[in-house]
Amino acid sequence: MQARRVGLPLKWLLTVSFINSFGFDFLWPLASVYIHEQLGQDMVTVGWVLFVNALLQMIGALLAGRLFDKFQPYKLFRAGALAMMVFLSLLVVWHGWPIFPVLLSATGFLFGWLTALINSYGTRVYSHDGRFVFNMLYFIANFGMAFGTALVGFIYGWGVQWLFISALILYTVMLIVAWRFLGMEFPQLEHVEGRNHKFKSIMPAWNLIIIYTLVVALVVLHTAYVQWQGNLSVYMSSILRLPLWQYSILWTINGVLIGVFQLMINVLNVSASRKIMIMQILVGLGLFGLAFLVLPFAKTFAAFAVAMAITTLGETIAFPMVPVLVNEITPMDLKGRYQGVLSAAPSLGRAIGPVAGGALIELDGYKVLFDTAAGMSFVALIGIAIVMAVGFRKTSKFGQ
């Protein structure tokens, strides 16, 4: 049957994206501190808990993306939000060892599930250009993360259960918003062939090559990026003897600059064509790698702030353009699947990164870690540049 284009309201999609990032940041940042200091587990155990959590985020994203194309998305979203509320309610009551890591891992799976659905929903917003939609989703998710990170330490001082109560309240609000404003049904795309068999699009070869090149690049880049979130704090505090508050301020700078850079990108409409969009990805990855080359020479807060600014500019230019590009080369009945794959890639990188980073530090210190992260970024840049130069003109374009 003919699929009628029923658009999704962008403002409500951005609202649930903000709440999802804000709420989950009450669980994630202090998990390692809580497990180590309050539950008495060693750092090896902490690492395995975070590894499993990241893997389950990846699995949740992959599964939700595939189901998005087969079922009405609002049912999947409501189910995920309800399940998240159930596990958060359990965490309020039971947050000792070993039930805490089990429940935390369940929330990780559901965060990946909800994030993939939100990104897939972005392909069904027709009131704005897809590039604007994904830029705004990237901005609002990071804004929620920064807001949550700013509050989590303060609330943790009242007791860890208040973090779970706060997250539960937020996800309850998210469910109400989703139930009220994201409940529209999307027509299922099908063609009647003989006995009402559903027609399934076949992805052209070069479309698949480009998509999976971008997926691998995201895994590589987030494997490098996660070093900022873990090993760099140890480097600054233990090796350089800088106060920990300076490391925290770096993430405040990150959040502020993401907002500033995103505003500039949207106002200037720099992503006006596919060629410019590809150039954004390449330039952004170059800046991302450059920041890691700065880190071995950084000894003061100002130098780390410069490196963070370069990293933030690079990620803000490049990362939002990846789901946009995939959206434009993916047919409608497969958009959810490949947005789910994209959503899973950062989780895999976050799972690999701490283990790989720790091994490199033990092998030859922090300089080799930073040099390796820079090299990985430039390899990803070169790989994407070659694939785009050879194959992008051979892809089939679908848009929204």
Side-chain angles (χ1 to χ4, degrees), residues 6-88:
V6 181
L8 185 74
L10 178 59
K11 62 181 179 180
W12 299 118
L13 184 59
L14 295 178
T15 300
V16 297
S17 179
F18 172 80
I19 296 173
N20 188 44
S21 294
F22 185 16
F24 193 67
D25 245 53
F26 282 136
L27 308 179
W28 180 253
L30 289 179
S32 57
V33 174
Y34 177 68
I35 294 170
H36 181 57
E37 295 184 359
Q38 300 298 319
L39 300 182
Q41 303 301 310
D42 58 38
M43 291 305 295
V44 174
T45 302
V46 171
W48 279 110
V49 171
L50 300 183
F51 177 80
V52 171
N53 192 291
L55 282 182
L56 286 174
Q57 285 185 42
M58 179 189 70
I59 294 169
L62 289 171
L63 183 59
R66 292 183 71 89
L67 294 178
F68 182 92
D69 299 318
K70 299 178 180 180
F71 300 97
Q72 287 298 338
Y74 75 90
K75 296 179 181 178
L76 300 173
F77 198 91
R78 290 174 182 176
L82 280 169
M84 180 70 88
M85 290 167 58
V86 169
F87 285 111
L88 288 171

XYZ file of all heavy atoms in Angstrom, residues 6-88:
665
model
N 3.576 10.724 7.492
C 3.079 11.313 8.729
C 4.297 11.705 9.561
O 5.051 10.853 9.996
C 2.202 10.316 9.514
C 1.679 10.967 10.792
C 1.036 9.859 8.646
N 4.491 12.989 9.750
C 5.688 13.468 10.426
C 5.590 13.369 11.937
O 4.515 13.423 12.524
N 6.742 13.236 12.567
C 6.834 13.183 14.016
C 7.242 14.562 14.525
O 8.145 15.182 13.969
C 7.884 12.142 14.410
C 8.060 11.850 15.887
C 6.877 11.023 16.395
C 9.359 11.089 16.104
N 6.599 15.072 15.592
C 6.967 16.394 16.116
C 8.384 16.377 16.692
O 8.680 15.608 17.606
C 5.922 16.656 17.214
C 4.809 15.694 16.941
C 5.442 14.502 16.298
N 9.264 17.240 16.182
C 10.654 17.232 16.595
C 10.819 17.626 18.062
O 11.655 17.053 18.773
C 11.478 18.175 15.711
C 12.968 18.306 16.061
C 13.666 16.954 15.983
C 13.647 19.317 15.141
N 10.041 18.589 18.535
C 10.266 19.092 19.900
C 10.060 17.998 20.951
O 10.771 17.953 21.964
C 9.354 20.280 20.198
C 7.859 19.991 20.160
C 7.061 21.261 20.455
C 5.567 21.003 20.400
N 4.780 22.244 20.687
N 9.109 17.081 20.712
C 8.873 16.017 21.698
C 9.925 14.927 21.596
O 10.285 14.303 22.591
C 7.469 15.453 21.541
C 6.421 16.493 21.761
C 5.497 16.953 20.874
C 6.209 17.248 22.973
N 4.724 17.936 21.432
C 5.130 18.128 22.726
C 6.819 17.259 24.216
C 4.663 19.016 23.693
C 6.361 18.137 25.187
C 5.300 18.999 24.920
N 10.438 14.714 20.385
C 11.537 13.759 20.231
C 12.784 14.277 20.948
O 13.489 13.523 21.622
C 11.831 13.519 18.747
C 12.897 12.468 18.435
C 12.515 11.114 18.992
C 13.143 12.389 16.934
N 13.051 15.573 20.824
C 14.182 16.169 21.531
C 13.979 16.113 23.037
O 14.940 15.920 23.799
C 14.383 17.621 21.079
C 14.793 17.829 19.623
C 14.898 19.315 19.310
C 16.113 17.132 19.311
N 12.748 16.261 23.474
C 12.460 16.195 24.908
C 12.803 14.825 25.481
O 13.471 14.718 26.518
C 10.979 16.511 25.179
O 10.683 17.836 24.709
C 10.663 16.426 26.668
N 12.357 13.753 24.812
C 12.650 12.412 25.345
C 14.135 12.087 25.207
O 14.699 11.370 26.049
C 11.779 11.322 24.674
C 10.312 11.553 24.964
C 12.029 11.226 23.183
N 14.806 12.628 24.185
C 16.241 12.415 24.045
C 16.992 13.066 25.198
O 17.918 12.469 25.779
C 16.732 12.988 22.711
O 18.128 12.812 22.569
N 16.596 14.278 25.559
C 17.220 14.972 26.684
C 17.024 14.193 27.985
O 17.976 13.964 28.743
C 16.627 16.375 26.827
C 17.060 17.095 28.069
C 18.292 17.711 28.133
C 16.240 17.134 29.189
C 18.715 18.369 29.284
C 16.641 17.783 30.347
C 17.887 18.405 30.400
N 15.792 13.748 28.228
C 15.505 13.029 29.474
C 16.259 11.706 29.524
O 16.774 11.307 30.576
C 13.989 12.799 29.629
C 13.259 14.138 29.767
C 13.694 11.927 30.846
C 11.747 14.017 29.762
N 16.359 11.009 28.398
C 17.066 9.730 28.365
C 18.532 9.907 28.750
O 19.068 9.153 29.578
C 16.941 9.124 26.964
C 17.484 7.709 26.882
O 17.230 6.880 27.754
N 18.231 7.424 25.831
N 19.201 10.916 28.170
C 20.607 11.160 28.502
C 20.762 11.680 29.925
O 21.667 11.252 30.657
C 21.204 12.177 27.518
O 21.257 11.649 26.225
N 19.891 12.586 30.319
C 19.926 13.170 31.657
C 19.721 12.075 32.709
O 20.486 11.961 33.679
C 18.839 14.243 31.739
C 18.803 15.031 33.020
C 19.872 15.038 33.908
C 17.692 15.781 33.333
C 19.826 15.775 35.081
C 17.633 16.520 34.507
C 18.705 16.521 35.377
N 18.698 11.245 32.524
C 18.377 10.219 33.497
C 19.445 9.156 33.616
O 19.809 8.747 34.725
N 20.004 8.709 32.480
C 21.004 7.643 32.541
C 22.302 8.140 33.148
O 23.070 7.352 33.707
C 21.253 7.057 31.150
C 22.031 5.769 31.180
C 21.475 4.622 31.732
C 23.314 5.702 30.681
C 22.188 3.429 31.780
C 24.034 4.517 30.715
C 23.469 3.376 31.268
N 22.563 9.447 33.066
C 23.785 9.974 33.655
C 23.733 10.010 35.177
O 24.747 10.296 35.817
C 24.088 11.365 33.097
C 25.369 11.362 32.286
O 25.479 10.528 31.377
O 26.262 12.174 32.576
N 22.584 9.741 35.772
C 22.529 9.544 37.211
C 23.059 8.158 37.600
O 23.337 7.909 38.772
C 21.090 9.688 37.727
C 20.645 11.118 37.847
C 19.387 11.495 37.416
C 21.469 12.089 38.394
C 18.975 12.812 37.531
C 21.059 13.403 38.510
C 19.808 13.772 38.079
N 23.174 7.261 36.629
C 23.597 5.888 36.912
C 25.047 5.640 36.530
O 25.780 4.954 37.247
C 22.710 4.900 36.143
C 21.194 5.054 36.307
C 20.491 4.018 35.448
C 20.794 4.901 37.762
N 25.482 6.173 35.407
C 26.735 5.756 34.805
C 27.986 6.387 35.425
O 28.930 5.671 35.786
C 26.680 6.055 33.300
C 27.913 5.665 32.559
C 28.867 6.488 32.053
C 28.341 4.337 32.248
N 29.861 5.770 31.446
C 29.555 4.443 31.547
C 27.818 3.073 32.486
C 30.250 3.331 31.093
C 28.516 1.969 32.030
C 29.714 2.107 31.339
N 28.060 7.727 35.611
C 29.342 8.328 35.978
C 29.922 7.836 37.300
O 31.133 7.695 37.439
C 29.026 9.829 36.046
C 27.798 10.002 35.232
C 27.022 8.741 35.410
N 29.077 7.596 38.303
C 29.571 7.224 39.618
C 29.526 5.713 39.878
O 29.787 5.276 40.998
C 28.784 7.961 40.706
C 29.055 9.462 40.795
C 28.219 10.098 41.877
C 30.529 9.750 41.044
N 29.199 4.934 38.844
C 29.105 3.484 39.038
C 30.434 2.907 39.496
O 30.492 2.094 40.433
C 28.648 2.809 37.746
N 31.546 3.312 38.870
C 32.853 2.757 39.232
C 33.241 3.154 40.650
O 33.780 2.340 41.414
C 33.921 3.208 38.231
O 33.982 4.618 38.152
N 32.969 4.420 41.021
C 33.284 4.877 42.376
C 32.460 4.102 43.402
O 32.982 3.655 44.434
C 33.013 6.394 42.513
C 33.201 6.843 43.959
C 33.914 7.181 41.581
N 31.175 3.927 43.135
C 30.287 3.238 44.076
C 30.688 1.771 44.244
O 30.769 1.254 45.365
C 28.845 3.346 43.590
C 27.846 2.611 44.458
C 27.570 3.047 45.748
C 27.193 1.472 43.990
C 26.665 2.369 46.557
C 26.280 0.799 44.782
C 26.028 1.252 46.065
O 25.140 0.570 46.867
N 30.964 1.101 43.121
C 31.335 -0.318 43.198
C 32.649 -0.497 43.952
O 32.802 -1.423 44.762
C 31.436 -0.932 41.786
C 30.056 -0.950 41.106
C 31.993 -2.341 41.841
C 30.110 -1.321 39.640
N 33.606 0.392 43.700
C 34.925 0.255 44.324
C 34.915 0.682 45.795
O 35.392 -0.071 46.667
C 35.943 1.089 43.548
C 37.335 1.005 44.081
N 38.017 -0.185 44.220
C 38.182 1.969 44.542
C 39.213 0.046 44.716
N 39.334 1.353 44.931
N 34.356 1.862 46.068
C 34.466 2.421 47.414
C 33.365 1.942 48.363
O 33.628 1.735 49.553
C 34.461 3.953 47.339
C 35.674 4.528 46.609
C 35.709 6.043 46.637
O 34.771 6.647 47.205
O 36.674 6.618 46.102
N 32.158 1.789 47.883
C 31.055 1.418 48.763
C 30.803 -0.094 48.801
O 30.427 -0.633 49.842
C 29.773 2.144 48.323
C 29.874 3.659 48.366
C 30.139 4.187 49.760
O 29.564 3.704 50.742
N 31.016 5.176 49.875
N 30.984 -0.743 47.652
C 30.729 -2.182 47.602
C 31.998 -3.012 47.773
O 31.941 -4.244 47.794
C 30.027 -2.548 46.284
C 28.665 -1.860 46.056
C 28.042 -2.342 44.752
C 27.724 -2.117 47.221
N 33.156 -2.351 47.841
C 34.393 -3.022 48.189
C 34.973 -3.928 47.131
O 35.722 -4.853 47.442
N 34.685 -3.667 45.860
C 35.215 -4.506 44.779
C 36.477 -3.872 44.189
O 36.625 -2.645 44.170
C 34.162 -4.684 43.687
C 32.858 -5.275 44.186
C 33.043 -6.636 44.828
O 33.672 -7.521 44.264
N 32.485 -6.809 46.032
N 37.399 -4.725 43.701
C 38.627 -4.183 43.115
C 38.358 -3.605 41.732
O 37.287 -3.783 41.150
C 39.724 -5.261 43.051
C 39.308 -6.484 42.239
O 38.632 -6.325 41.209
O 39.655 -7.613 42.647
N 39.357 -2.889 41.195
C 39.170 -2.177 39.930
C 39.057 -3.126 38.738
O 38.477 -2.762 37.711
C 40.323 -1.196 39.708
C 40.317 -0.014 40.672
S 38.737 0.898 40.669
C 38.707 1.556 39.004
N 39.608 -4.327 38.864
C 39.414 -5.312 37.789
C 37.938 -5.668 37.667
O 37.372 -5.724 36.568
C 40.263 -6.572 38.055
C 39.946 -7.648 37.021
C 41.740 -6.234 38.031
N 37.300 -5.888 38.812
C 35.861 -6.191 38.819
C 35.066 -5.017 38.273
O 34.115 -5.191 37.493
C 35.396 -6.524 40.250
O 36.163 -7.622 40.744
C 33.920 -6.877 40.272
N 35.455 -3.801 38.672
C 34.786 -2.598 38.155
C 34.874 -2.567 36.633
O 33.887 -2.296 35.933
C 35.416 -1.324 38.749
C 34.886 -0.079 38.047
C 35.135 -1.244 40.244
N 36.073 -2.848 36.116
C 36.256 -2.835 34.664
C 35.353 -3.835 33.957
O 34.775 -3.527 32.907
N 35.207 -5.035 34.518
C 34.341 -6.037 33.905
C 32.868 -5.626 33.957
O 32.118 -5.869 33.011
C 34.543 -7.393 34.576
C 35.748 -8.112 34.075
C 36.906 -8.359 34.746
C 35.927 -8.647 32.761
N 37.799 -9.019 33.948
C 37.227 -9.215 32.709
C 35.137 -8.703 31.613
C 37.736 -9.826 31.576
C 35.635 -9.316 30.473
C 36.913 -9.874 30.462
N 32.454 -4.987 35.057
C 31.071 -4.517 35.157
C 30.787 -3.480 34.068
O 29.758 -3.544 33.368
C 30.783 -3.921 36.547
C 29.420 -3.229 36.571
C 30.835 -5.012 37.615
N 31.700 -2.532 33.885
C 31.509 -1.501 32.864
C 31.575 -2.097 31.459
O 30.853 -1.658 30.552
C 32.569 -0.408 33.025
C 32.568 0.332 34.370
C 33.607 1.443 34.368
C 31.184 0.886 34.693
N 32.419 -3.113 31.292
C 32.536 -3.791 29.997
C 31.212 -4.466 29.626
O 30.698 -4.307 28.504
C 33.663 -4.816 30.068
C 33.838 -5.641 28.823
C 34.515 -5.134 27.735
C 33.324 -6.936 28.744
C 34.681 -5.895 26.583
C 33.488 -7.698 27.602
C 34.172 -7.181 26.517
N 30.631 -5.205 30.567
C 29.357 -5.889 30.316
C 28.251 -4.875 30.064
O 27.401 -5.054 29.176
C 28.997 -6.812 31.503
C 27.581 -7.357 31.365
C 29.995 -7.963 31.594
N 28.254 -3.787 30.837
C 27.237 -2.757 30.653
C 27.289 -2.177 29.241
O 26.254 -2.011 28.576
C 27.440 -1.654 31.695
C 26.277 -0.694 31.774
O 26.047 0.079 30.858
N 25.549 -0.737 32.879
N 28.502 -1.874 28.773
C 28.650 -1.309 27.432
C 28.231 -2.304 26.353
O 27.597 -1.936 25.357
C 30.100 -0.864 27.218
N 28.576 -3.595 26.538
C 28.168 -4.599 25.562
C 26.640 -4.728 25.493
O 26.062 -4.858 24.413
C 28.782 -5.957 25.911
C 30.245 -6.174 25.553
C 30.670 -7.580 25.923
C 30.493 -5.932 24.058
N 25.988 -4.668 26.653
C 24.531 -4.771 26.667
C 23.889 -3.527 26.067
O 22.815 -3.618 25.452
C 24.036 -5.013 28.091
C 24.283 -6.435 28.609
C 23.906 -6.553 30.070
C 23.510 -7.462 27.782
N 24.515 -2.366 26.222
C 24.024 -1.183 25.512
C 24.046 -1.428 24.003
O 23.098 -1.084 23.295
C 24.889 0.032 25.841
C 24.665 0.635 27.208
C 25.480 1.894 27.406
O 25.595 2.725 26.528
N 26.085 2.013 28.579
N 25.135 -2.019 23.532
C 25.265 -2.315 22.105
C 24.177 -3.291 21.647
O 23.528 -3.079 20.610
C 26.650 -2.903 21.827
C 26.890 -3.284 20.377
S 28.426 -4.217 20.138
C 27.977 -5.770 20.918
N 23.961 -4.354 22.414
C 22.952 -5.348 22.043
C 21.559 -4.724 22.050
O 20.743 -4.974 21.141
C 23.015 -6.552 23.004
C 24.342 -7.292 22.822
C 21.851 -7.509 22.772
C 24.616 -8.326 23.896
N 21.263 -3.900 23.044
C 19.968 -3.234 23.100
C 19.735 -2.346 21.892
O 18.638 -2.318 21.320
N 20.777 -1.615 21.481
C 20.651 -0.737 20.318
C 20.429 -1.531 19.033
O 19.584 -1.181 18.195
C 21.898 0.138 20.202
N 21.195 -2.607 18.857
C 21.048 -3.434 17.653
C 19.650 -4.036 17.561
O 19.005 -4.010 16.497
C 22.090 -4.542 17.648
C 23.539 -4.138 17.395
C 24.471 -5.317 17.641
C 23.706 -3.628 15.966
N 19.163 -4.563 18.666
C 17.858 -5.214 18.680
C 16.740 -4.210 18.423
O 15.833 -4.458 17.603
C 17.649 -5.921 20.020
C 16.347 -6.719 20.184
C 16.248 -7.806 19.127
C 16.267 -7.325 21.584
N 16.800 -3.060 19.096
C 15.751 -2.056 18.917
C 15.727 -1.525 17.492
O 14.650 -1.289 16.923
C 15.957 -0.913 19.910
N 16.908 -1.329 16.910
C 16.958 -0.836 15.539
C 16.305 -1.795 14.549
O 15.583 -1.379 13.646
N 16.548 -3.081 14.737
C 15.940 -4.068 13.826
C 14.430 -4.137 14.025
O 13.667 -4.253 13.051
C 16.569 -5.442 14.052
C 18.023 -5.524 13.615
C 18.568 -6.928 13.791
N 17.996 -7.848 12.825
C 18.493 -8.086 11.615
N 19.585 -7.453 11.207
N 17.928 -8.948 10.811
N 13.983 -4.057 15.281
C 12.545 -4.147 15.544
C 11.799 -2.889 15.118
O 10.596 -2.945 14.840
C 12.310 -4.417 17.039
C 12.810 -5.774 17.551
C 12.570 -5.893 19.050
C 12.134 -6.923 16.812
N 12.482 -1.756 15.074
C 11.856 -0.489 14.675
C 11.198 -0.608 13.303
O 10.128 -0.047 13.066
C 12.908 0.626 14.662
C 12.367 1.987 14.316
C 11.945 2.849 15.320
C 12.297 2.416 12.993
C 11.446 4.114 15.013
C 11.805 3.672 12.671
C 11.370 4.521 13.684
N 11.845 -1.328 12.396
C 11.334 -1.465 11.029
C 10.191 -2.472 10.914
O 9.517 -2.519 9.892
C 12.466 -1.887 10.084
C 13.591 -0.866 10.031
O 13.291 0.336 9.985
O 14.768 -1.276 10.050
N 9.983 -3.284 11.960
C 9.019 -4.376 11.859
C 7.759 -4.151 12.680
O 6.728 -4.779 12.420
C 9.680 -5.690 12.298
C 10.872 -6.086 11.436
C 11.514 -7.368 11.938
C 12.700 -7.764 11.076
N 13.347 -9.011 11.554
N 7.832 -3.297 13.699
C 6.698 -3.073 14.595
C 6.455 -1.584 14.748
O 7.296 -0.760 14.386
C 6.964 -3.706 15.966
C 7.194 -5.191 15.922
C 8.478 -5.707 15.900
C 6.119 -6.072 15.887
C 8.708 -7.080 15.861
C 6.335 -7.447 15.844
C 7.624 -7.951 15.825
N 5.291 -1.243 15.298
C 5.017 0.158 15.556
C 5.988 0.660 16.624
O 6.014 0.158 17.745
C 3.569 0.345 16.008
C 2.552 0.170 14.892
C 2.737 1.196 13.776
O 3.321 2.261 13.966
N 2.247 0.855 12.588
N 6.809 1.689 16.310
C 7.873 2.113 17.228
C 7.370 2.578 18.589
O 8.069 2.393 19.590
C 8.541 3.262 16.462
C 8.244 2.989 15.029
C 6.882 2.367 15.013
N 6.185 3.192 18.642
C 5.741 3.720 19.936
C 5.531 2.593 20.947
O 5.722 2.784 22.151
C 4.474 4.563 19.771
C 3.191 3.800 19.542
C 2.404 3.393 20.621
C 2.749 3.490 18.248
C 1.225 2.697 20.417
C 1.580 2.797 18.039
C 0.815 2.400 19.120
O -0.358 1.710 18.923
N 5.155 1.407 20.484
C 4.999 0.276 21.397
C 6.357 -0.170 21.950
O 6.481 -0.499 23.141
C 4.311 -0.883 20.682
C 2.883 -0.575 20.236
C 2.260 -1.768 19.512
C 0.838 -1.448 19.048
N 0.235 -2.588 18.300
N 7.363 -0.180 21.091
C 8.709 -0.544 21.523
C 9.247 0.475 22.525
O 9.887 0.109 23.515
C 9.642 -0.620 20.313
C 9.275 -1.628 19.218
C 10.200 -1.460 18.019
C 9.353 -3.053 19.750
N 8.974 1.758 22.260
C 9.483 2.809 23.137
C 8.816 2.744 24.509
O 9.481 2.845 25.550
C 9.257 4.185 22.500
C 10.102 5.264 23.106
C 11.350 5.546 22.584
C 9.668 5.972 24.212
C 12.157 6.533 23.151
C 10.457 6.957 24.784
C 11.705 7.238 24.242
N 7.502 2.576 24.516
C 6.788 2.485 25.798
C 7.266 1.282 26.611
O 7.454 1.376 27.832
C 5.281 2.391 25.554
C 4.657 3.674 25.029
C 3.190 3.451 24.681
N 2.581 4.651 24.131
C 1.328 4.708 23.670
N 0.572 3.614 23.697
N 0.849 5.841 23.188
N 7.467 0.164 25.923
C 7.933 -1.034 26.618
C 9.304 -0.806 27.239
O 9.571 -1.198 28.385
C 7.970 -2.219 25.660
N 10.200 -0.149 26.484
C 11.532 0.131 27.005
C 11.511 1.075 28.192
O 12.226 0.865 29.181
N 10.687 2.123 28.109
C 10.596 3.080 29.217
C 10.000 2.433 30.462
O 10.472 2.658 31.588
C 9.764 4.289 28.790
N 8.969 1.610 30.270
C 8.363 0.907 31.410
C 9.359 -0.044 32.065
O 9.459 -0.120 33.300
C 7.125 0.139 30.952
C 5.843 0.947 30.779
C 4.783 0.113 30.063
C 5.305 1.428 32.132
N 10.098 -0.783 31.246
C 11.093 -1.707 31.789
C 12.185 -0.953 32.546
O 12.638 -1.386 33.614
C 11.707 -2.544 30.666
N 12.615 0.200 32.011
C 13.612 1.006 32.702
C 13.090 1.442 34.071
O 13.825 1.401 35.081
C 13.973 2.238 31.862
C 15.017 3.146 32.515
S 16.684 2.441 32.579
C 17.309 2.991 30.977
N 11.827 1.836 34.150
C 11.244 2.241 35.425
C 11.214 1.077 36.425
O 11.458 1.263 37.620
C 9.840 2.797 35.194
C 9.819 4.137 34.471
S 8.161 4.584 33.883
C 7.244 4.565 35.426
N 10.938 -0.130 35.927
C 10.911 -1.300 36.803
C 12.288 -1.544 37.410
O 12.437 -1.726 38.633
C 10.433 -2.550 36.031
C 10.665 -3.816 36.863
C 8.957 -2.415 35.665
N 13.341 -1.534 36.577
C 14.686 -1.818 37.081
C 15.196 -0.697 37.980
O 15.926 -0.955 38.953
C 15.648 -2.064 35.917
C 15.458 -3.415 35.276
C 14.944 -3.526 33.991
C 15.768 -4.569 35.972
C 14.762 -4.768 33.403
C 15.590 -5.819 35.399
C 15.078 -5.916 34.109
N 14.824 0.542 37.698
C 15.212 1.646 38.583
C 14.521 1.518 39.934
O 15.120 1.797 40.982
C 14.868 2.985 37.935
C 15.750 3.398 36.759
C 15.189 4.632 36.066
C 17.180 3.670 37.223
